[in-house]
Amino acid sequence: MTVDFPNKQTQGYEIAIAAGSLEGLGEKLINLGLGKKSKKVLIVSNPVIFKHYGDRTVNSLASEGFEVASLILPAGERFKTAASLQKIYDAALHNKLERSSIIVALGGGVIGDMAGYAAATWLRGLDFVQVPTTLLAMVDSAIGGKTGINHPQGKNLIGAFHQPRLVWTDPEVLKTLPAREFRAAMAEVIKYGVIWDRELFEQLSACQRLDQIRYLQPETLYLILVHCAKAKAEIVSKDEKEGNLRAILNYGHTVGHAIEMVTNYRKFNHGEAVGLGMVIAGAIAVELGFWQQSDQEAQLELIYKAKLPTKLPQDIDPKQIIAAMSQDKKVDRGKVIFIMPKAIGSAIVTDQVDLDTVYKVLQI
Amino acid sequence: MTVDFPNKQTQGYEIAIAAGSLEGLGEKLINLGLGKKSKKVLIVSNPVIFKHYGDRTVNSLASEGFEVASLILPAGERFKTAASLQKIYDAALHNKLERSSIIVALGGGVIGDMAGYAAATWLRGLDFVQVPTTLLAMVDSAIGGKTGINHPQGKNLIGAFHQPRLVWTDPEVLKTLPAREFRAAMAEVIKYGVIWDRELFEQLSACQRLDQIRYLQPETLYLILVHCAKAKAEIVSKDEKEGNLRAILNYGHTVGHAIEMVTNYRKFNHGEAVGLGMVIAGAIAVELGFWQQSDQEAQLELIYKAKLPTKLPQDIDPKQIIAAMSQDKKVDRGKVIFIMPKAIGSAIVTDQVDLDTVYKVLQI
């Protein structure tokens, strides 16, 4: 499928999903006309991913005549820093990347965000290719052109919109993804079903083991990846730079971020917090009459089947959640912005959720 | 005049030039609809400029209800670094800038480039306003959306295209500009005459004291500013992201940069080196039959009248210049890219200049 931008100024790009496709990356870049002027490619990756998939990626590129250099950065959100970015710049300089050279991100969201930001800003913009290796990157962060790094005081405060020239997804690589990471990303998968794609929601409902589909049902996983990528592509095509529609992607995130903050980013990972945030946002939506109790139960069932937490731990004080929400960057003119599901496959953005209702729901 | 982009995706903007306009900045921002959501403005400036013009700028904004913070950074190219950028980010954080807040650059090219880059990347992009206070910034760097910082190994290696929402030029402020800086910028003014605007060239030819017009002929200076801004605006409108046409702006820069490098950025400032580069590029163009000797002499006359150097010092070895040129980032697939004037007001980009001819001309 492709991401096309109606304005025709931003170049559209293909999202290609195929098992075993990693070996075909070099040929694909040639077919896209990349590497015509400069054959230099810088792969940015992390140690574990590069150990598993580095050789295949490098060989695929080298066999098509690319001059490949690689930079391995430590894994994890805490390394998404100006210091890591500087290492990418230094590698770009050392390897004499030119304006027509290519940066390839081989990794998850952290690698993709940093490598994409370096590609956005080195020589004012190089071609960039996403090869996502986590479920979360495949369905979310690799698509849509958001790139950036963290500031010591906050996540993603420094960044740029820089669309990739290609998103090249090989579902085979998910077999080595840690189980908890796979489950967590399932929260975002379910999110697309709730806010955008009823058919996806039904496919997920028909699966018995959402946490195990990469081993038990690879064909279903493939279909899910296609649906999610299509949902994200449709949403960002219509709203490249986060005007309004794109905000619905934050479903579950208003409360989710607050839960992450209150638990010091330790107890839950991002996907787990978002799953909880969706449960709570859904309950608020029922409370306020935005959607039906039966839809909320169907959503809950999916989150449960993904083996994700469905209840806020007793030791978290709802008051802390409320306080954390008030500081979120999704606050606009002092009002907390909420994404409310209206039906399975449809959601709206509203600032009409009062914190009293949130507090009431959190206490249930 | 306005800078409009044919694609309609990039928002166009006005370049307003008027003596004494500094006091009207706040009102202008309101008229443009800026500050509707967030009233926060961060002014980035340098010590001397802020001492002269800071109060007027702050008062103009504050009187329209803006909440104004300011950050003063040390002046000079050597401070166009990641460390200075970090200070802007910290000020943005400290002053709680939101996505709809505004960054104003009050200064020359260094301040404009850094503040613009911070505006391009903080929260993935804030509104940005250029208030250029040097002749060079007024005619060149403030227009066109190039922003960035230096890497220890090279100038402008890190950057982004981020168009300002407004370029607000008050020629009155040029009265405090150091004389050498004024003269140096005149090289870029003459450049527009040669590569783009025959009428401008003729206006310049009619002036007796190009180095003194800010005092002797303010009306002529105004006309020159309008012509230069219009030239730059036309060129960048047609080629926002430096595809091809925009390259003609590098007239005089291929040799000019080499001269700066060979003299360790000490003997000549940028404009002086560009002036020399134009003399040499013009001589090459005559040698290769691109343009006429009489045009070259008319160009030389202007550079001389601007009190800019017109001859390479004897102690510079032409071989060093050739070596430095070979390392320039305007090298494309191993060939040195030259801008050659064809007539007064017209230039082309070519890779057909062989280094033997350059060497021959350098020895004259």
Side-chain angles (χ1 to χ4, degrees):
Chain A
M1 85 211 66
T2 59
V3 183
D4 293 307
F5 297 95
N7 63 64
K8 303 288 177 207
Q9 164 71 357
T10 307
Q11 190 159 15
Y13 53 95
E14 188 180 343
I15 304 167
I17 303 169
S21 60
L22 204 52
E23 269 95 8
L25 178 62
E27 190 183 347
K28 182 69 186 181
L29 296 193
I30 295 290
N31 289 343
L32 284 174
L34 295 175
K36 266 189 195 159
K37 281 177 121 185
S38 162
K39 284 278 179 199
K40 287 177 195 285
V41 175
L42 174 65
I43 299 173
V44 181
S45 192
N46 70 46
V48 172
I49 289 297
F50 199 75
K51 181 172 146 263
H52 283 305
Y53 307 110
D55 282 353
R56 263 188 266 176
T57 311
V58 171
N59 292 341
S60 165
L61 292 164
S63 68
E64 298 291 334
F66 287 101
E67 295 167 41
V68 188
S70 55
L71 174 69
I72 311 304
L73 294 172
E77 187 76 30
R78 73 183 186 284
F79 294 105
K80 203 170 126 179
T81 59
S84 295
L85 177 66
Q86 192 60 47
K87 286 183 189 161
I88 308 180
Y89 288 149
D90 290 345
L93 188 81
H94 180 73
N95 293 289
K96 298 191 166 67
L97 295 200
E98 300 170 41
R99 284 187 190 168
S100 48
S101 302
I102 306 161
I103 292 183
V104 171
L106 175 70
V110 170
I111 288 293
D113 282 7
M114 291 198 296
Y117 186 61
T121 52
W122 187 251
L123 306 180
R124 294 200 191 89
L126 306 184
D127 283 328
F128 176 52
V129 171
Q130 288 270 21
V131 183
T133 60
T134 64
L135 179 57
L136 188 57
M138 287 176 185
V139 302
D140 183 14
S141 60
I143 304 163
K146 275 196 186 177
T147 69
I149 57 171
N150 299 333
H151 183 278
Q153 306 292 320
K155 282 172 76 171
N156 296 323
L157 290 178
I158 299 161
F161 287 96
H162 188 63
Q163 301 293 340
R165 296 293 306 272
L166 172 71
V167 181
W168 191 247
T169 298
D170 183 347
E172 288 285 316
V173 307
L174 292 178
K175 289 188 176 157
T176 55
L177 189 69
R180 189 177 174 190
E181 264 198 70
F182 188 87
R183 288 197 304 270
M186 205 45 86
E188 304 276 355
V189 170
I190 296 166
K191 182 191 78 178
Y192 289 114
V194 174
I195 63 168
W196 194 257
D197 185 343
R198 189 184 181 95
E199 200 181 317
L200 170 63
F201 192 94
E202 286 165 359
Q203 280 170 346
L204 295 170
S205 299
C207 285
Q208 281 318 302
R209 297 292 304 269
L210 281 182
D211 60 323
Q212 292 292 325
I213 48 169
R214 57 181 162 162
Y215 305 119
L216 303 178
Q217 295 174 278
E219 308 76 18
T220 307
L221 175 60
Y222 169 78
L223 286 176
I224 288 171
L225 288 174
V226 169
H227 271 270
C228 290
K230 194 156 172 288
K232 179 89 189 250
E234 284 171 0
I235 293 166
V236 301
S237 296
K238 287 177 182 168
D239 180 16
E240 186 192 352
K241 296 199 173 165
E242 203 155 36
N244 197 1
L245 174 67
R246 200 163 168 160
I248 66 169
L249 292 169
N250 287 323
Y251 175 54
H253 287 60
T254 312
V255 177
H257 277 167
I259 293 171
E260 284 184 276
M261 280 175 72
V262 165
T263 54
N264 290 316
Y265 298 88
R266 293 221 174 106
K267 192 172 178 65
F268 302 108
N269 64 27
H270 179 68
E272 290 163 352
V274 166
L276 267 174
M278 287 160 57
V279 172
I280 293 160
I284 295 167
V286 171
E287 180 72 23
L288 295 176
F290 282 101
W291 78 333
Q292 300 178 348
Q293 179 66 28
S294 58
D295 288 339
Q296 165 73 351
E297 280 161 19
Q299 172 183 265
L300 197 62
E301 173 75 13
L302 289 191
I303 293 169
Y304 179 79
K305 280 202 303 185
K307 300 257 191 298
L308 288 164
T310 55
K311 266 192 89 66
L312 206 60
Q314 296 258 329
D315 59 348
I316 295 180
D317 182 353
K319 286 205 185 81
Q320 288 179 285
I321 306 274
I322 300 282
M325 273 170 44
S326 313
Q327 293 169 33
D328 194 276
K329 73 176 168 187
K330 281 182 286 296
V331 174
D332 190 10
R333 279 167 285 183
K335 289 197 168 182
V336 178
I337 304 300
F338 258 94
I339 319 305
M340 290 279 106
K342 282 172 58 191
I344 299 298
S346 167
I348 56 159
V349 181
T350 178
D351 62 0
Q352 298 302 308
V353 176
D354 60 297
L355 291 177
D356 288 347
T357 308
V358 181
Y359 186 65
K360 183 177 159 192
V361 166
L362 284 170
Q363 288 179 300
I364 294 171
Chain B
M1 84 210 69
T2 60
V3 183
D4 292 308
F5 297 96
N7 63 63
K8 303 286 176 210
Q9 164 71 358
T10 307
Q11 191 158 13
Y13 54 96
E14 188 181 342
I15 304 166
I17 304 169
S21 60
L22 203 52
E23 269 93 9
L25 178 63
E27 190 183 347
K28 181 68 186 181
L29 297 193
I30 295 290
N31 289 344
L32 284 175
L34 295 175
K36 266 189 195 158
K37 282 178 119 183
S38 161
K39 284 277 179 201
K40 287 177 195 283
V41 175
L42 175 65
I43 298 174
V44 181
S45 192
N46 69 48
V48 172
I49 289 296
F50 200 76
K51 180 172 146 266
H52 283 304
Y53 308 109
D55 281 354
R56 265 188 265 175
T57 312
V58 170
N59 291 341
S60 166
L61 292 164
S63 68
E64 298 291 335
F66 288 100
E67 296 167 40
V68 187
S70 55
L71 174 70
I72 312 303
L73 294 173
E77 187 76 30
R78 72 183 186 285
F79 295 106
K80 204 170 127 179
T81 59
S84 295
L85 178 67
Q86 192 60 46
K87 287 183 188 161
I88 307 180
Y89 288 149
D90 290 345
L93 187 81
H94 180 74
N95 292 290
K96 297 192 168 65
L97 296 200
E98 300 169 42
R99 285 187 191 171
S100 48
S101 302
I102 305 162
I103 292 183
V104 171
L106 176 70
V110 169
I111 288 294
D113 282 7
M114 289 197 298
Y117 186 60
T121 52
W122 187 251
L123 305 180
R124 293 200 192 89
L126 307 183
D127 282 329
F128 176 53
V129 171
Q130 288 270 20
V131 184
T133 60
T134 65
L135 179 56
L136 187 58
M138 288 177 185
V139 302
D140 183 14
S141 61
I143 304 163
K146 274 196 187 179
T147 69
I149 57 169
N150 298 332
H151 183 278
Q153 305 293 320
K155 283 172 74 173
N156 295 322
L157 291 177
I158 298 161
F161 288 96
H162 188 62
Q163 301 293 339
R165 295 295 306 274
L166 172 70
V167 181
W168 192 246
T169 298
D170 184 347
E172 288 284 316
V173 307
L174 291 179
K175 289 189 175 153
T176 56
L177 189 69
R180 188 177 174 189
E181 264 198 69
F182 188 87
R183 288 197 303 270
M186 205 44 87
E188 304 276 354
V189 170
I190 296 166
K191 181 190 78 178
Y192 289 116
V194 174
I195 64 169
W196 195 257
D197 185 341
R198 190 185 180 94
E199 201 181 316
L200 170 62
F201 193 93
E202 286 163 359
Q203 281 170 346
L204 296 171
S205 300
C207 284
Q208 280 318 303
R209 296 292 307 268
L210 282 183
D211 60 323
Q212 291 292 326
I213 48 171
R214 57 182 162 162
Y215 305 119
L216 303 178
Q217 296 174 277
E219 309 77 17
T220 307
L221 175 61
Y222 169 79
L223 286 176
I224 287 171
L225 289 174
V226 169
H227 271 270
C228 290
K230 194 157 171 285
K232 179 90 189 249
E234 284 171 359
I235 293 167
V236 301
S237 296
K238 288 179 181 167
D239 180 16
E240 186 191 352
K241 296 199 174 164
E242 203 156 33
N244 197 0
L245 175 66
R246 201 162 168 161
I248 67 169
L249 292 168
N250 287 322
Y251 176 53
H253 287 62
T254 312
V255 176
H257 276 167
I259 293 171
E260 284 183 277
M261 280 175 71
V262 165
T263 54
N264 290 317
Y265 297 89
R266 294 218 174 110
K267 191 171 179 64
F268 302 108
N269 64 27
H270 179 69
E272 290 162 350
V274 167
L276 267 175
M278 286 161 57
V279 173
I280 293 160
I284 295 168
V286 171
E287 179 72 23
L288 295 176
F290 282 101
W291 77 335
Q292 300 177 349
Q293 178 65 27
S294 58
D295 288 341
Q296 166 71 352
E297 280 161 19
Q299 171 183 265
L300 197 62
E301 173 76 13
L302 291 191
I303 294 169
Y304 179 77
K305 281 201 303 184
K307 299 259 191 295
L308 288 165
T310 56
K311 267 190 88 65
L312 206 59
Q314 295 257 328
D315 59 348
I316 295 180
D317 181 353
K319 287 207 185 79
Q320 286 179 288
I321 306 274
I322 300 284
M325 275 170 44
S326 314
Q327 293 168 32
D328 194 276
K329 74 177 165 186
K330 282 182 286 298
V331 174
D332 190 9
R333 279 168 286 182
K335 290 197 168 180
V336 178
I337 304 299
F338 258 94
I339 319 303
M340 289 281 104
K342 280 173 60 190
I344 299 298
S346 168
I348 56 159
V349 181
T350 178
D351 62 0
Q352 298 301 308
V353 176
D354 60 296
L355 292 177
D356 289 346
T357 307
V358 180
Y359 186 65
K360 183 177 158 191
V361 166
L362 284 170
Q363 288 179 300
I364 295 171

